[in-house]
Amino acid sequence: MLFDIANNVALQQVLATMEVERKRIAGTQTKGYIFIAAGILLCVLGFFLGFPIPGVIGGLIPVIYGGVLLFKINDALTAYQNAYKTNVIGAALKFLDESLLINPQEGIEASEFMYTQLFSNEPDRYKTEDLVTGCADKTRFYFAEVHAEYKTVTQTKNGTRTEWHDIFRGIIFAADFNKKFNGVTIVRPKDFGAAFGAWFSKNLFSFGSNDVIQLENLDFDKTFVTYGSDQVESRYILTPAMMERILNLNHQTKYNISLSFIESRMYIAFPLNRNYFEAPVFKSLLSPETVNEDISTIKFMYDIVKELDLNTRIWGKE
C-alpha cells in the first residue's frame, strides 16, 4: 500500500503551511551563509592586497551578522523539524496502521543496544531518536535510529589526539518472536569489513568455534555465520523457511543485516548511510518524493513482521 500524498487533503494543507515556514528558514539560512562567505572573502582579499587589519575588521562585520541570522533562526528550525515528524510522518504512520506511533525524542537505550549482543564496543558517544512503535496483528515491534561511536586517544608529538569511530549507524528493529526459547542465537554477515569491524564481539557470549552452527541452507551459510548457545534451539529458530525469509529480507537492503534472538525477542540491525525522518530545508515539501522516501523506510520495517511470518504462533506462543 502506497501513501497517496496527492489525494490526502488534510496532509496537503499541513504541507502547504509548513512549506511557507520552510521557505522562510531556507531564505534566512542562505542569507546567513552568504554574509559569512562574504566576510571570509573580505578577510582573504585584505591579506592578499596587503591590508590585513582593515580586511579582518571589514570581514568580521558580515561574519558576525551572518552568524546572528543563523542563531536566531535555529529555534524556528527545531520547531519545523519536530512538526514534520509529528504532523507529517505521524499522519503517514496512521495511514499505514492505526497502532503506529512516532516519538521523535525517544529511541533505543544504550543498555538495550548492548543487550542485543551484536556489538562489542560500549559506546562512548551514543545518539538515538525517532522511536516508532506498533503492533502488526499479534506481534509487537519497535525500531529507532541509532548512532553509536567509540573513541581512541593516542599520544603524538603534538599532544593527545582523539578520534571517533562508528560502532553502528542505522536502525535497530526489535519484535516479539513467535517461538519460545531460552538460549542465544546470533546471525552476523560474513563479509563485514573494516568499517564494521567494531560491530561484533570476538567472544560472543563466550562463543567459540565449537558454537558455530552449520545449517542446511548453503546460501545462508555463505552469507552469514551463526552462533548459538544451544545447537538444537538455534535450528528450531532458524527453520528452512525462516532462513529463506531472512535471505530475502537481506537482499532488499543495501548493506548486510545482522540478527540476534534473545529471550523470545528478535533484534535486527540495519546499517544505513543517511539520517531518516528529517525535514528538508532546501528541498520542497510539496514534492511527493520528499516524504515517500521516509514512508517507504517505515513500511519496509512494518512489513518485516509479515516477511518473517512472525504472526504465525507455534507451540502455544501467544
Side-chain angles (χ1 to χ4, degrees):
M1 184 188 297
L2 293 174
F3 186 57
D4 190 1
I5 296 171
N7 294 320
N8 190 311
V9 177
L11 185 59
Q12 281 296 325
Q13 290 175 343
V14 171
L15 288 172
T17 301
M18 291 185 64
E19 177 68 5
V20 174
E21 181 67 357
R22 183 199 68 79
K23 287 180 177 178
R24 185 178 77 87
I25 293 168
T28 303
Q29 284 195 336
T30 301
K31 189 176 178 181
Y33 292 137
I34 289 173
F35 271 96
I36 290 172
I40 293 171
L41 184 61
L42 279 174
C43 287
V44 172
L45 282 174
F47 276 93
F48 183 74
L49 296 174
F51 304 103
I53 295 176
V56 169
I57 294 172
L60 205 56
I61 294 170
V63 165
I64 292 172
Y65 180 66
V68 169
L69 285 176
L70 294 178
F71 178 77
K72 287 177 70 175
I73 203 66
N74 192 57
D75 286 345
L77 175 62
T78 301
Y80 162 74
Q81 290 171 332
N82 288 335
Y84 175 81
K85 292 179 180 181
T86 303
N87 300 333
V88 178
I89 299 299
L93 288 173
K94 291 298 181 186
F95 178 83
L96 290 172
D97 190 307
E98 277 294 326
S99 73
L100 291 172
L101 293 170
I102 184 167
N103 295 289
Q105 309 305 322
E106 296 183 28
I108 305 278
E109 293 295 327
S111 57
E112 186 171 14
F113 175 79
M114 294 304 298
Y115 173 78
T116 66
Q117 300 295 320
L118 292 173
F119 311 97
S120 58
N121 291 52
E122 285 218 28
D124 295 308
R125 187 161 64 188
Y126 185 83
K127 182 184 178 184
T128 182
E129 61 180 353
D130 300 334
L131 177 69
V132 175
T133 59
C135 188
D137 196 7
K138 302 173 184 176
T139 303
R140 291 177 295 116
F141 66 91
Y142 54 92
F143 60 90
E145 286 191 86
V146 167
H147 188 196
E149 301 168 281
Y150 71 96
K151 67 179 178 180
T152 55
V153 180
T154 53
Q155 294 292 333
T156 68
K157 61 181 181 181
N158 298 319
T160 59
R161 183 177 65 193
T162 301
E163 294 180 301
W164 290 93
H165 314 270
D166 280 351
I167 299 171
F168 176 76
R169 183 173 186 172
I171 288 177
I172 300 291
F173 175 94
D176 294 335
F177 200 60
N178 58 9
K179 299 178 180 179
K180 292 181 179 178
F181 48 86
N182 300 311
V184 176
T185 299
I186 307 288
V187 178
R188 67 165 174 82
K190 279 187 173 178
D191 66 348
F192 71 98
F196 305 114
W199 273 33
F200 303 103
S201 172
K202 295 177 181 177
N203 301 299
L204 290 165
F205 247 17
S206 300
F207 289 167
S209 58
N210 292 334
D211 299 303
V212 174
I213 299 170
Q214 299 299 321
L215 299 161
E216 291 73 20
N217 189 315
L218 294 179
D219 286 339
F220 194 87
D221 271 348
K222 284 179 183 176
T223 307
F224 301 103
V225 57
T226 304
Y227 296 89
S229 59
D230 183 323
Q231 297 257 342
V232 174
E233 188 174 73
S234 293
R235 288 189 172 88
Y236 166 68
I237 294 168
L238 296 169
T239 62
M242 177 57 75
M243 285 187 284
E244 285 296 337
R245 292 186 184 107
I246 291 172
L247 281 170
N248 186 51
L249 184 67
N250 191 58
H251 288 155
Q252 298 175 52
T253 62
K254 185 175 181 181
Y255 302 107
N256 281 338
I257 62 175
S258 55
L259 307 93
S260 61
F261 301 84
I262 302 172
E263 293 187 4
S264 296
R265 183 172 291 172
M266 176 188 69
Y267 290 98
I268 311 178
F270 292 89
L272 297 172
N273 56 6
R274 82 172 184 88
N275 198 8
Y276 282 80
F277 319 133
E278 297 303 319
V281 175
F282 297 102
K283 185 178 178 182
S284 175
L285 279 172
L286 303 180
S287 168
E289 292 77 18
T290 303
V291 180
N292 274 334
E293 190 171 1
D294 283 339
I295 301 308
S296 64
T297 301
I298 292 171
K299 189 173 186 303
F300 176 80
M301 296 293 158
Y302 178 78
D303 286 343
I304 288 172
V305 173
K306 182 169 63 176
E307 185 77 39
L308 298 184
D309 195 27
L310 299 182
N311 277 319
T312 300
R313 293 301 193 252
I314 301 173
W315 300 99
K317 175 79 186 278
E318 291 296 339

